[in-house]
Amino acid sequence: MSEQRSLIKPHFLNLSTTKNSLHGLIAERNIEQPKEEYRDLSIEPDKHILVLHNNHQNELEWKINGNRKKERFRLSDLIINPAGLNANPHWETDVELLVLAINPTFIQFVAEEMNCPARVGLFPRFKFRDKFLDLMTRKLVNEFEHKPKPDLVYAESLTYALVSHLIRKYSRDGNHKQPIQKNGLPPVQLSRIIDYINEHIGKNLTLEGLAQIADFSPSHFITLFKNATGITPHQYILKRKIAFAKDQLINTDHSISAVALNTGFADQSHLTRTMRKHTGLTPGEIRNS
């Protein structure tokens, strides 16, 4: 991978990043090097930072309110560093970290959707474990590393799930009751969404764009869409892409690479991997069947 600097903390050596593809959140895989002189207690982070330790055992030293602490971190240990808190962290040796930077206004937006009663602030947490945060963080980072064309609907769904979990478990005002969504999308909105997906299957669909068309917030839209169809928006779009691709392979003479681009896949190899995984056949086998 080419060396570049992190968008979250410039002293990090960045291995991969979502850049600004996601609303309110940046996810990165970084290397932090302890010998770099980056400390400045006058600089406070303006975003909530979630750190997932992704390396061999390593010792972290940090300082809060004049108290210096030291702990040995292992694979999958987590840190929550709220906006405004400079803990002045320092690792013993080079360490690989999966890092999320979450805009406080985005946290508040999701909290309001969840009917939180007041302004939400995250608690600082150092060296703890949470299997859900671990899984969501890895999925987000991986989505932008191992695919030629990240699925933004899927990535945005992960983002909302992760932020909702943070609010419920690690915020001062996360105690609330979410409205129970028993019904699915109303037929008019569902029909509008399905028509839009079918007409734009080869375009860069996003969760926020679909939610806006349905006139619901993204997190409510995910729930209502699944209640109506039995699957998530991401799963539905993938099924439609595969169906459209199969139809073009069987009923047109377009090249396989053209079919891939027409149906929203990054390239022919992306289409081939997806087809083989979900149908057991390659595009060539489907065409010749």
Side-chain angles (χ1 to χ4, degrees), residues 24-25 47-50 100-104 106-107 162-163 166:
L25 180 146
K47 295 180 175 61
H48 301 298
I49 305 296
L50 177 69
L100 307 184
I102 308 169
N103 194 313
F106 181 60
I107 288 268
L162 184 148
V163 171
L166 278 175

Side-chain angles (χ1 to χ4, degrees), residues 122-165:
L122 298 183
F123 287 116
R125 294 284 301 269
F126 286 79
K127 197 178 184 302
F128 71 102
R129 295 200 167 217
D130 185 311
K131 291 182 179 179
F132 186 81
L133 286 181
D134 186 322
L135 179 63
M136 293 296 102
T137 300
R138 293 184 189 281
K139 283 180 177 290
L140 263 177
V141 172
N142 288 343
E143 184 64 23
F144 288 82
E145 285 183 334
H146 303 304
K147 292 186 177 180
K149 186 176 180 181
D151 186 330
L152 291 182
V153 173
Y154 176 61
E156 289 171 351
S157 299
L158 294 175
T159 298
Y160 276 89
L162 184 148
V163 171
S164 299
H165 183 80

Side-chain angles (χ1 to χ4, degrees), residues 221-245:
F221 172 72
I222 294 170
T223 301
L224 293 172
F225 187 92
K226 186 173 182 180
N227 286 350
T229 65
I231 55 179
T232 65
H234 156 67
Q235 291 168 329
Y236 181 85
I237 291 170
L238 182 59
K239 286 182 67 174
R240 297 307 300 148
K241 283 184 176 182
I242 292 171
F244 272 74

Side-chain angles (χ1 to χ4, degrees), residues 13-77:
L13 174 62
N14 180 243
L15 302 180
S16 69
T17 178
T18 60
K19 296 184 179 179
N20 295 311
S21 299
L22 299 174
H23 174 63
L25 180 146
I26 297 172
E28 295 184 340
R29 185 187 301 274
N30 294 309
I31 299 292
E32 184 162 14
Q33 301 165 313
K35 294 182 181 180
E36 290 214 31
E37 293 298 329
Y38 63 88
R39 301 183 188 186
D40 184 347
L41 293 179
S42 68
I43 299 175
E44 296 180 344
D46 61 355
K47 295 180 175 61
H48 301 298
I49 305 296
L50 177 69
V51 179
L52 176 64
H53 185 266
N54 195 46
N55 217 196
H56 52 77
Q57 291 189 37
N58 206 321
E59 190 170 82
L60 176 67
E61 184 179 345
W62 70 95
K63 187 176 182 180
I64 298 179
N65 298 326
N67 298 317
R68 188 161 293 283
K69 297 185 179 182
K70 188 182 292 187
E71 287 278 0
R72 182 155 293 279
F73 278 64
R74 294 174 174 80
L75 181 69
S76 292
D77 283 340

Side-chain angles (χ1 to χ4, degrees), residues 9 142 261:
K9 292 189 176 182
N142 288 343
L261 296 179

